[in-house]
Amino acid sequence: MSETSTIEKDTAGTRIVPTMSLREVVMFPKSIVPLIVGREIYIKAIETALEKYDKQIFLVAQKDPSQEHPEDTDLFEIGTISRILQMLRLPDGTIKVLFEGLRRASWDAEHGIMYINDIPMVEVTDLPDMAARSAEGEALARATHEAIEEYAQINRKLAKETALAIASITSPGRLADTIIPHLRSAFHRKQAVLETRNPVQRLEQVYEMIQEEIAIFSLEKKIKGRVKKQMEENQRDYYLGEQLKAIHKEMGRDFDPKADLDALEAKLSAKDMPDAARDKALEELKKLRQTPPSAAEYTVLRNYVEWILALPWNTMRDVEIDLVEAQKTLDADHYGLDKPKERILEYLAVQALVKKLRGPILCLVGPPGVGKTSLAKSIAKATGREFVRLSLGGVRDEAEIRGHRRTYVGALPGKIIQSLKRISSNNPVFCLDEVDKMSTDFRGDPSAALLEVLDPEQNNAFNDHYLDLDYDLSGIFFITTANSLQSIPLPLQDRMEIITIPGYLETEKECIASDFLLPKQRELHGLQKENLTLSRGAILEVIRRYTRESGVRNLEREIASICRKIARTLVEEKNMAKQVTVSKSMLGTYLGVPRVRYGLRESQPQVGVTTGLAWTQTGGELLLVEVALMPGTGKIEITGKLGDVMQESARAAISYIRSRSELFGLRRDFYKDVDIHIHVPEGATPKDGPSAGITLATCLASALLNIPVRNDVAMTGEITLRGRVLPIGGLREKLLAAHRGLITRVLVPKENERDLKDVPKAILKGLEITLVESMDEVLCHALKDVTRTALFAGEADFIPICKDLHKVHDHPTTH
């Protein structure tokens, strides 16, 4: 060996790189091999290669693997230039390195190994393959492909992916280099293959080694079969069984593993399940018999068999369909909700005709507290099915749906299979609650796993990772619930029938409170019907002044609060027969100061103040819009925490007024001399949507023309630049808010006439609904004491708020 302190530049075809010797391992080009390196000198060589030599290092095998510090003569002359792919430091000071072979090379043994800063370095020269006859190489490659296919069948350690990759290689040299690392031959024979530069000769050597391996494997199989036949199976089982009994008796245990497994086998034979599931369970039971009860694997295998036994594979509950009784059940449990009830009764009618129908998949969407989950329970009751509920709120792991594979410690099936284990039939009503509350992280997307569960074309073969068996979910009536569709992926929405459950109207809440909630709370608090009575006015006051919600949960809490106070009074006075009637004026005593305000109409018509209608998740609301005009330079101020859409509606309203300024008797450039401030009160509440367009335009016209807006009129509708009135949503809730706010006339877009059928007759009876198509009609109905002819002919009796805004007409009738 020689030692130097400098690195010479590469000469033609040679270079100087770090080196490392291998013990009983031969590195080949195009192969990837992990190695544990513990010798300090080679750890430094690897670190140097990573830092200075483009991760390249020369790997060469030792002739004598027992030598700790080999000399120059102890190394073979040919090795492989390799690239370092990964390096991991282990706690014991060694490192684990992943090498990739690049190409053959020889090292200069005459100069020997050079130590540069204590790093072993060698001068290497690339050794490309020699030219070979193509016909012979092609024939040998075909023979080798056939041999490796036979070898893969008898050697299970050779992965199928590896065999497929080998089958795609046609180059003789590369084929030989790819196969040789997977053979069990001695390292000196592998070194001889590495040193063979002729690719055809190299592949011929590999082919011979494959044939030898096949012969050895065949001989091993023959020997094992001969030995196995020599053992009497019955005698072996009897002998081992008696030994186990003696062992358990000495340890004071009454547990008999054989009898226990026999009982499991009997249950499997009697269980009604698919043949594939039974065969899989019996196969696992066979492994269980061969496993000692003290082994950890015993518990894993037994749990798996018990899971298969516990599931209701082919067990179906008989469903007697009576549409009249189903209707009564749904009506008794829930007030209203006509569309969901109608869809459920339709499904039952079809099932009664065809006897077999794939389970429907409904998605009930609505705000909290409207009865989505309880409706699912009622469906189970009405259809005679069992009920299963699974909450998906906060689920962020795909394995929660599909389960974990049995390779993991403590693995279990997914929540779907776990829920089915708790019931005795495979056709329940399955409620997937809060399906919009799932999230996604690095462990997967649970909503993607639900695609198979909720697809009627696929869920007849749902594959849980733990069971690794196809389970039929097609008979299950799936119902999902959600508060919003925005967070549900579109592919998942496409698999479900969406049924929207809107918030309850005030009239519906009143009926629910008097017919359902009050009797329920009286019973829970030990009160008789005579002990507590709530007047109609008191119930309405609780709904309006003490709750603001779409559902009835808070309403039930307030009624429960009244019941508790009445119960305390009865106990303190020791008068269990006392009768208490709570009126509207008494609510302050029981519930305290009102916590919610609701909109009422203005007491007098005012200029620049218009009543609009808004929809919220908790119901409809009156929406006041105010406009103030000030001398200025044409600035427009919009306040009230309005969203982008509502601000655009305000600008569209201003543009409409400007486009018709001459018809209103205004100068064309009136806006240059006045500042306009548009404000919507309750500035802390966000507001958005296009339905306030005609309200904003009416308010602007009132302020500019100095004409009051009728205080008994409310309106809703989207406005266009041409003054057309477009349809809006939430009409039912908006009309209820108008009725509650003592409004007598409501201006509604003509295209919303079809939605009036969904409004209760009691609400329509107290309102005059005026259908409008244009802004001209809106102004004539909304502005006080103004007719269409007078308004647009300049003859309206008004006092201009600013004379300079209006045009002086010699012939006003021309307009």
Side-chain angles (χ1 to χ4, degrees):
M1 297 185 184
S2 62
E3 189 163 330
T4 181
S5 59
T6 60
I7 301 177
E8 297 180 1
K9 294 183 179 179
D10 293 353
T11 58
T14 65
R15 68 182 66 87
I16 298 175
V17 295
T19 185
M20 183 178 78
S21 65
L22 305 177
R23 291 188 281 195
E24 295 187 309
V25 176
V26 180
M27 191 71 185
F28 283 86
K30 308 302 180 183
S31 64
I32 298 177
V33 177
L35 296 174
I36 303 295
V37 181
R39 290 181 279 187
E40 187 66 25
I41 188 173
Y42 294 137
I43 293 177
K44 292 181 179 179
I46 291 171
E47 292 173 345
T48 302
L50 285 170
E51 294 175 2
K52 300 179 180 180
Y53 291 89
D54 194 24
K55 301 182 181 179
Q56 294 191 10
I57 189 171
F58 180 70
L59 302 181
V60 60
Q62 296 179 196
K63 297 177 181 178
D64 185 0
S66 62
Q67 290 185 343
E68 185 70 19
H69 301 287
E71 300 293 330
D72 295 359
T73 56
D74 298 323
L75 302 177
F76 288 104
E77 294 182 0
I78 295 178
T80 304
I81 297 175
S82 305
R83 179 185 290 114
I84 301 170
L85 297 180
Q86 289 181 354
M87 184 181 77
L88 176 66
R89 296 188 182 276
L90 302 178
D92 60 353
T94 61
I95 60 174
K96 185 175 183 180
V97 188
L98 189 64
F99 293 102
E100 178 189 15
L102 299 178
R103 53 194 175 275
R104 284 177 176 76
S106 62
W107 64 285
D108 190 351
E110 293 182 4
H111 290 85
I113 299 176
M114 302 172 286
Y115 285 89
I116 303 174
N117 298 327
D118 295 330
I119 306 301
M121 313 283 289
V122 292
E123 183 177 335
V124 296
T125 303
D126 290 349
L127 297 177
D129 284 346
M130 299 170 60
R133 288 174 292 179
S134 59
E136 184 180 356
E138 183 179 352
L140 188 57
R142 290 182 182 180
T144 305
H145 283 148
E146 294 176 0
I148 201 67
E149 185 176 350
E150 182 182 357
Y151 179 75
Q153 291 177 356
I154 61 175
N155 183 11
R156 300 299 180 186
K157 292 184 179 180
L158 184 63
K160 292 182 179 180
E161 295 80 3
T162 304
L164 290 174
I166 292 173
S168 65
I169 300 173
T170 58
S171 171
R174 185 178 175 188
L175 182 61
D177 292 341
T178 304
I179 294 174
I180 188 69
H182 299 286
L183 302 180
R184 296 183 179 180
S185 302
F187 79 95
H188 63 272
R189 295 191 64 186
K190 292 184 177 182
Q191 179 65 31
V193 173
L194 179 66
E195 293 177 358
T196 303
R197 295 179 59 188
N198 187 309
V200 175
Q201 294 179 5
R202 189 160 71 241
L203 183 57
E204 187 173 355
Q205 295 176 18
V206 172
Y207 178 78
E208 293 176 0
M209 295 167 68
I210 295 173
Q211 295 297 340
E212 292 176 6
E213 290 287 323
I214 293 173
I216 292 173
F217 269 108
S218 301
L219 186 59
E220 285 180 358
K221 187 176 181 180
K222 187 176 180 181
I223 293 172
K224 289 178 181 178
R226 187 166 60 242
V227 172
K228 188 175 182 180
K229 288 182 180 179
Q230 292 175 355
M231 298 181 65
E232 290 291 334
E233 190 68 30
N234 292 336
Q235 182 180 1
R236 176 179 175 274
D237 289 347
Y238 176 78
Y239 176 72
L240 294 177
E242 290 299 316
Q243 276 194 331
L244 282 174
K245 286 182 181 179
I247 292 171
H248 285 292
K249 186 175 181 180
E250 289 295 327
M251 298 180 68
R253 297 177 182 172
D254 295 330
F255 173 70
D256 185 356
K258 186 178 184 303
D260 186 53
L261 297 181
D262 290 342
L264 280 178
E265 187 172 2
K267 290 179 181 179
L268 283 173
S269 301
K271 180 76 173 179
D272 185 10
M273 64 171 67
D275 292 337
R278 180 179 287 104
D279 293 343
K280 180 71 173 177
L282 290 174
E283 181 182 343
E284 296 297 315
L285 191 63
K286 183 178 180 181
K287 296 178 184 177
L288 193 58
R289 291 185 184 278
Q290 300 170 359
T291 306
S294 58
E297 186 68 15
Y298 186 90
T299 305
V300 175
L301 291 170
R302 183 182 175 85
N303 286 342
Y304 179 76
V305 174
E306 288 180 345
W307 267 104
I308 293 178
L309 269 173
L311 293 174
W313 292 90
N314 295 331
T315 306
M316 298 289 182
R317 172 175 284 195
D318 293 333
V319 179
E320 296 183 2
I321 300 175
D322 187 336
L323 293 184
V324 176
E325 286 300 318
Q327 178 78 61
K328 289 181 180 179
T329 301
L330 294 174
D331 290 340
D333 292 345
H334 291 84
Y335 183 85
L337 305 181
D338 295 331
K339 288 185 179 179
K341 292 178 183 177
E342 181 182 358
R343 173 66 183 91
I344 294 157
L345 293 174
E346 289 171 357
Y347 158 72
L348 293 178
V350 174
Q351 191 181 45
L353 292 175
V354 301
K355 303 302 180 183
K356 172 64 177 175
L357 181 68
R358 286 176 178 169
I361 298 167
L362 306 181
C363 180
L364 307 180
V365 181
V370 296
K372 300 183 294 296
T373 306
S374 59
L375 180 61
K377 292 182 181 178
S378 298
I379 293 171
K381 183 179 176 182
T383 57
R385 296 170 180 249
E386 293 184 271
F387 178 73
V388 183
R389 175 182 170 273
L390 173 60
S391 178
L392 297 177
V395 172
R396 58 184 184 275
D397 187 355
E398 179 250 0
E400 294 283 346
I401 306 298
R402 303 189 67 95
H404 292 87
R405 300 192 185 278
R406 281 194 292 155
T407 51
Y408 295 100
V409 176
L412 286 172
K415 295 292 186 182
I416 302 291
I417 298 298
Q418 289 187 41
S419 300
L420 291 174
K421 179 187 176 183
R422 299 196 297 266
I423 59 176
S424 58
S425 63
N426 199 32
N427 60 339
V429 171
F430 203 124
C431 178
L432 297 172
D433 215 1
E434 310 293 353
V435 73
D436 59 327
K437 305 297 190 301
M438 293 184 295
S439 57
T440 304
D441 65 4
F442 64 92
R443 285 168 289 197
D445 185 358
S447 63
L450 278 180
L451 294 178
E452 181 183 3
V453 176
L454 299 180
D455 190 341
E457 300 296 332
Q458 300 179 31
N459 63 7
N460 62 336
F462 172 68
N463 193 282
D464 186 273
H465 287 161
Y466 180 83
L467 293 180
D468 199 22
L469 293 167
D470 289 341
Y471 194 91
D472 187 2
L473 302 177
S474 61
I476 298 175
F477 191 156
F478 282 105
I479 298 177
T480 65
T481 69
N483 297 129
S484 171
L485 290 175
Q486 294 179 356
S487 57
I488 303 178
L490 290 177
L492 189 56
Q493 291 186 37
D494 185 59
R495 283 162 168 79
M496 304 182 291
E497 181 176 342
I498 308 297
I499 297 179
T500 302
I501 302 180
Y504 290 115
L505 295 176
E506 189 176 276
T507 53
E508 293 174 331
K509 290 183 180 180
E510 181 188 346
C511 293
I512 292 171
S514 58
D515 297 343
F516 292 89
L517 302 182
L518 183 57
K520 175 184 175 182
Q521 291 302 320
R522 276 198 298 241
E523 182 180 353
L524 290 176
H525 290 83
L527 300 176
Q528 301 299 321
K529 185 177 181 180
E530 298 77 16
N531 293 137
L532 173 61
T533 305
L534 283 177
S535 68
R536 181 175 181 273
I539 293 176
L540 283 175
E541 185 72 2
V542 172
I543 294 171
R544 293 175 177 177
R545 304 298 300 277
Y546 291 90
T547 64
R548 175 175 284 172
E549 58 178 344
S550 304
V552 292
R553 283 181 182 155
N554 288 327
L555 177 58
E556 185 174 9
R557 293 189 187 102
E558 298 300 330
I559 294 175
S561 179
I562 295 173
C563 290
R564 288 195 301 271
K565 290 178 171 57
I566 298 297
R568 179 181 176 183
T569 302
L570 296 181
V571 173
E572 288 178 346
E573 297 180 3
K574 298 182 180 179
N575 182 7
M576 301 305 169
K578 184 176 181 179
Q579 298 181 3
V580 179
T581 300
V582 179
S583 63
K584 178 179 177 180
S585 59
M586 298 169 62
L587 284 178
T589 306
Y590 293 100
L591 298 179
V593 179
R595 296 182 286 276
V596 179
R597 65 181 296 270
Y598 64 95
L600 289 172
R601 74 179 194 180
E602 295 292 306
S603 58
Q604 296 293 331
Q606 298 184 45
V607 174
V609 178
T610 308
T611 304
L613 296 172
W615 178 91
T616 68
Q617 281 197 344
T618 59
E621 293 289 343
L622 294 187
L623 185 75
L624 288 182
V625 177
E626 302 173 347
V627 171
L629 303 179
M630 298 153 285
T633 58
K635 291 195 303 182
I636 299 174
E637 187 74 23
I638 302 175
T639 58
K641 204 171 185 180
L642 308 186
D644 292 340
V645 177
M646 197 166 181
Q647 290 190 40
E648 290 172 1
S649 294
R651 298 185 189 281
I654 294 171
S655 298
Y656 164 76
I657 298 294
R658 286 178 56 187
S659 69
R660 301 177 71 84
S661 58
E662 291 192 4
L663 292 176
F664 291 135
L666 303 175
R667 293 199 331 264
R668 284 189 176 183
D669 59 348
F670 74 90
Y671 58 90
K672 295 182 179 180
D673 303 323
V674 64
D675 289 347
I676 301 175
H677 189 158
I678 302 173
H679 178 68
V680 182
E682 297 190 25
T685 304
K687 311 166 191 72
D688 204 0
S691 63
I694 65 172
T695 309
L696 292 162
T698 302
C699 203
L700 282 164
S702 169
L704 290 168
L705 300 177
N706 201 26
I707 303 177
V709 181
R710 291 179 53 179
N711 63 320
D712 60 343
V713 172
M715 62 194 71
T716 179
E718 180 180 353
I719 188 175
T720 69
L721 291 177
R722 296 176 293 165
R724 290 185 57 201
V725 180
L726 301 183
I728 45 80
L731 183 62
R732 189 177 72 142
E733 290 80 3
K734 291 177 179 180
L735 292 181
L736 176 62
H739 181 269
R740 182 180 60 201
L742 305 180
I743 298 294
T744 58
R745 175 184 282 189
V746 181
L747 307 183
V748 174
K750 173 72 174 176
E751 293 185 45
N752 281 111
E753 184 177 6
R754 62 182 183 273
D755 299 323
L756 293 176
K757 67 178 185 296
D758 296 330
V759 182
K761 293 181 180 179
I763 302 299
L764 293 176
K765 186 177 180 181
L767 293 174
E768 179 185 349
I769 306 298
T770 302
L771 301 174
V772 293
E773 293 183 284
S774 68
M775 194 62 212
D776 298 349
E777 298 176 59
V778 173
L779 293 176
C780 292
H781 290 297
L783 297 181
K784 183 173 175 58
D785 301 329
V786 173
T787 64
R788 178 185 180 91
T789 303
L791 177 66
F792 295 105
E795 297 174 354
D797 184 15
F798 60 82
I799 302 173
I801 194 168
C802 179
K803 291 183 179 180
D804 292 338
L805 295 180
H806 296 81
K807 189 174 181 180
V808 179
H809 301 288
D810 295 330
H811 304 284
T813 56
T814 59
H815 293 283

